[in-house]
Amino acid sequence: MASGSSESDTAREEQLLDAGRDDHPVVPYRALWAVLLLGWVVSYADRTVTGPVIAWMIQNQAGFIGDASNPATLGGLVGSMFFLGYMLTQYPGGRLGDRFGHREMIIVSLLAAGVLTVVSGLMAGLVAFVAARVLTGLGEGVFYSNDRTLIIAHTPAARRTLGLGIVITGLSIGLTVGIILTPILIDWGASLGMGDGAWRMPFFVFAAFTFVVATVAFGFFRSRLGGALRLGPPFLRLILFSAPTFVVIVALFLMAESFEWPEWLTATIASVIALVYIGIIVRSVQRSGRGAALLNRNMWLIYVAYIAILWNLWFFSFWSVQIVREAAQSSLLAAALTAAFNAGAGILGFPVGGWLADRAVRRGRGRKPLALVCTAVYSVLVLVFGWSISGGEGDQLPSLALLGLLLFSSGVFFNALQPIVQGMTGDLVPPSERGSAFGMLNLVSEIGAVLSPVVSGILRDATGSWAPGVYVAAGIMIVSFFLYAMVRESPAHHEDPIPA
């Protein structure tokens, strides 16, 4: 009897899958997944490089971070400035994609990332480096909402969350590449005679790969997805928006350096800037009459809950190498290889989360129970990780094997959670508003990425341990569990075609 029921369920799933194969007939969606996955790889390698570079500067007392009296706090502030720029183009990037084309915004983002990663490696001083990273963040910020929208628009409904999960494995691959290769590339730069400037080498290498991927994506979009691309109008609009934003962020950092403000005050002002900007966008959305779709109770619960994901993502992505190095008193390369277990866990977690979510939907269940399970298990594992680096009994050093196991197992559940929640988000809005919805999701949730590096650095310098930062990350994730629990999940909207 049980066997017959299982066969019936499987047959029903296959029928639904077959039915879903015809709802987006014009695009080779698996090839689209591959191209966008490569985009995630290079984008995340380009942004991840900063954390390991700063860890190298701290260890070697080199560069513009190594001789600071509070290097972890200053290094975290550099990361926070990047994410402030990244955050502030999330919603405009989605709106520009809805208006000018999601393909175009993907290419603009990749080209900006390549150019500005090279520029970052050429900078000689702290302020100039921060300015280059802010510009990198502004350019990369438009990728997410347009990538998510393209996948949903051109993937059969029965495979949609799987597609979201598979493509975003590029995030984990990029993180892993950035964490592991950065120390190796720095050593290569040193062997070539670059000396204290060896930290520049990873920026140059990663930028070269970014240009290659941009070329591949441009060719694919032009030949297989919509024909010719017009990059001028969306690029100019992005410049018009980014210029004043860039001036505000860099001016804030300059004032902080000139008046020698404490880093916590700079981080506080950055947060106020972010909140004011969110308020302006929310007011604009309400006035446009789209508030019912983008600003309803369910959407706000998801927006705010997702802050925990970005907080944890960039706490571990930015600082995991340094955390492991200090906790286990290991070399930088050994710490990078261990920390890579957390980033690499997404290669398994992202597609499995997407597959499980699609399976649940095909069986008439929602995605929310899976989101709650992943959030709960991840929170517990992070608490255990925090205890392990706090010394435990006898203040014995944790082994690299233990830290790697905890980072990998927690990373699987953490990364599985993301496509599940993204699938919920896409289902809760009309197709024409998905670019804006994903832009709003990342706009609000990037508060976590803005605050996480610097707050964690402040806690480290104040307490001498990374454990408090880990416990804060776990606590924020626990709060998100209750927010997800209050979301009223709804079935997907009818699939109207969306222009590429």
Side-chain angles (χ1 to χ4, degrees):
M1 187 72 173
S3 175
S5 176
S6 176
E7 291 175 2
S8 176
D9 287 342
T10 301
R12 179 173 177 271
E13 288 176 19
E14 289 300 321
Q15 289 173 359
L16 288 171
L17 197 56
D18 289 337
R21 288 187 178 119
D22 297 327
D23 54 3
H24 297 291
V26 297
V27 178
Y29 66 88
R30 291 184 183 88
L32 174 65
W33 292 359
V35 169
L36 295 176
L37 185 151
L38 290 174
W40 278 103
V41 171
V42 294
S43 293
Y44 260 74
D46 289 345
R47 73 190 70 172
T48 302
V49 63
T50 309
V53 162
I54 288 174
W56 179 85
M57 289 181 177
I58 293 173
Q59 182 183 35
N60 293 276
Q61 296 184 334
F64 36 75
I65 299 291
D67 58 356
S69 59
N70 50 352
T73 301
L74 182 58
L77 186 60
V78 172
S80 292
M81 292 297 101
F82 169 90
F83 285 111
L84 184 57
Y86 182 81
M87 169 187 179
L88 296 184
T89 47
Q90 293 298 316
Y91 180 77
R95 288 300 295 158
L96 288 173
D98 288 339
R99 180 174 179 183
F100 293 105
H102 304 291
R103 304 173 309 151
E104 284 78 0
M105 298 311 301
I106 293 285
I107 300 300
V108 167
S109 178
L110 290 172
L111 291 175
V115 170
L116 293 166
T117 299
V118 171
V119 172
S120 298
L122 294 173
M123 295 299 99
L126 176 61
V127 174
F129 181 78
V130 168
R133 297 315 282 165
V134 169
L135 284 172
T136 309
L138 288 165
E140 289 191 344
V142 305
F143 190 93
Y144 173 86
S145 55
N146 292 287
D147 155 87
R148 304 289 86 182
T149 304
L150 276 179
I151 295 166
I152 289 179
H154 298 294
T155 300
R159 295 185 183 272
R160 181 165 301 142
T161 318
L162 176 62
L164 293 171
I166 287 176
V167 171
I168 208 170
T169 57
L171 180 156
S172 285
I173 297 170
L175 284 173
T176 305
V177 168
I179 289 172
I180 292 177
L181 287 189
T182 297
I184 296 173
L185 291 172
I186 292 174
D187 288 344
W188 183 40
S191 71
L192 295 177
M194 296 179 69
D196 285 348
W199 62 267
R200 306 176 190 276
M201 182 60 74
F203 289 95
F204 300 150
V205 172
F206 292 151
F209 282 105
T210 303
F211 288 126
V212 171
V213 172
T215 302
V216 170
F218 183 88
F220 174 80
F221 290 153
R222 186 174 59 181
S223 63
R224 307 299 296 275
L225 185 62
L229 290 87
R230 296 183 64 235
L231 302 181
F235 174 73
L236 291 175
R237 289 298 184 98
L238 183 62
I239 290 292
L240 288 174
F241 174 83
S242 298
T245 307
F246 168 75
V247 169
V248 169
I249 297 172
V250 175
L252 169 62
F253 193 83
L254 277 171
M255 292 174 66
E257 286 292 293
S258 300
F259 295 106
E260 297 183 348
W261 293 342
E263 283 80 1
W264 65 263
L265 179 58
T266 307
T268 300
I269 296 173
S271 302
V272 171
I273 292 172
L275 291 173
V276 168
Y277 179 74
I278 290 173
I280 292 171
I281 294 297
V282 167
R283 186 178 180 186
S284 173
V285 170
Q286 289 174 331
R287 286 183 170 182
S288 70
R290 293 157 43 243
L294 297 177
L295 302 175
N296 58 60
R297 173 185 177 276
N298 281 331
M299 299 306 292
W300 271 116
L301 286 171
I302 290 179
Y303 296 158
V304 176
Y306 214 80
I307 291 173
I309 290 180
L310 272 295
W311 184 291
N312 279 261
L313 173 63
W314 283 106
F315 170 63
F316 284 103
S317 297
F318 197 87
W319 286 123
S320 59
V321 174
Q322 188 68 5
I323 292 171
V324 173
R325 191 185 72 80
E326 291 187 18
Q329 295 184 9
S330 69
S331 69
L332 186 64
L333 181 57
L337 291 171
T338 304
F341 279 100
N342 183 252
I347 299 171
L348 173 64
F350 283 129
V352 169
W355 178 78
L356 288 173
D358 281 341
R359 183 180 176 87
V361 171
R362 291 198 300 269
R363 292 193 167 198
R365 305 166 190 154
R367 295 182 178 92
K368 187 172 81 171
L370 288 171
L372 295 175
V373 169
C374 289
T375 304
V377 175
Y378 172 78
S379 300
V380 171
L381 291 171
V382 171
L383 290 172
V384 174
F385 180 82
W387 176 83
S388 72
I389 67 169
S390 67
E393 295 182 5
D395 291 332
Q396 295 181 349
L397 295 177
S399 69
L400 290 175
L402 173 63
L403 296 180
L405 177 62
L406 288 171
L407 287 171
F408 179 80
S409 56
S410 62
V412 169
F413 287 95
F414 176 73
N415 291 307
L417 172 64
Q418 295 177 56
I420 294 169
V421 177
Q422 291 162 10
M424 291 169 59
T425 303
D427 286 348
L428 287 168
V429 295
S432 61
E433 296 289 356
R434 284 194 180 126
S436 300
F438 284 117
M440 282 294 297
L441 175 67
N442 242 25
L443 168 65
V444 176
S445 62
E446 282 293 332
I447 292 175
V450 170
L451 290 176
S452 178
V454 66
V455 170
S456 304
I458 290 171
L459 289 172
R460 163 61 184 83
D461 284 336
T463 65
S465 171
W466 288 103
V470 175
Y471 293 140
V472 168
I476 292 173
M477 185 62 74
I478 290 169
V479 172
S480 76
F481 174 91
F482 295 100
L483 296 177
Y484 290 132
M486 291 188 285
V487 174
R488 298 180 187 132
E489 198 172 5
S490 69
H493 284 268
H494 175 70
E495 297 306 310
D496 297 323
I498 302 177

